[in-house]
Amino acid sequence: MPRRRILSDGPLPRLWDVAPRSETIQVSGIRCERCVMRLAHALEGHEGLEAANANLMGQVMLAWDDEHTDRDAILGAMAKAGFREVVAV
């Protein structure tokens, strides 16, 4: 994804906007559409999370702004709602 040039009103001009980080992870706990809605509700309003898309196979695509959140914070919000990352062995 190409970088965009952005000017800021802040004291130091911000010349380049960093593309959001994205990753697809496998999670446990998704068995039906209601589970997907529970996950969506758990992530709703999470500052810095730009996109989240889950399917019934437990695959969750996440995109976030590293300046406002990180992977661990997003996974923590998911775990609090009962959805944990499945680590491949």
Side-chain angles (χ1 to χ4, degrees):
M1 175 178 254
R3 293 183 177 189
R4 297 174 284 153
R5 185 176 174 154
I6 293 187
L7 296 177
S8 169
D9 291 334
L12 295 174
R14 186 171 173 187
L15 299 177
W16 297 100
D17 188 22
V18 178
R21 296 208 28 188
S22 63
E23 183 178 351
T24 300
I25 62 170
Q26 185 73 34
V27 299
S28 63
I30 297 179
R31 292 181 279 288
C32 63
E33 279 297 318
R34 189 168 182 204
C35 297
V36 173
M37 295 305 293
R38 276 186 28 238
L39 176 60
H41 182 71
L43 295 175
E44 187 176 6
H46 187 97
E47 185 180 351
L49 182 63
E50 297 188 0
N53 188 10
N55 64 30
L56 295 176
M57 296 182 350
Q59 297 169 329
V60 181
M61 187 285 301
L62 301 167
W64 67 92
D65 179 349
D66 258 346
E67 291 184 11
H68 294 97
T69 192
D70 60 24
R71 184 182 192 278
D72 290 338
I74 297 168
L75 292 180
M78 292 172 58
K80 193 173 184 181
F83 303 99
R84 297 195 179 348
E85 180 178 20
V86 176
V87 180
V89 182

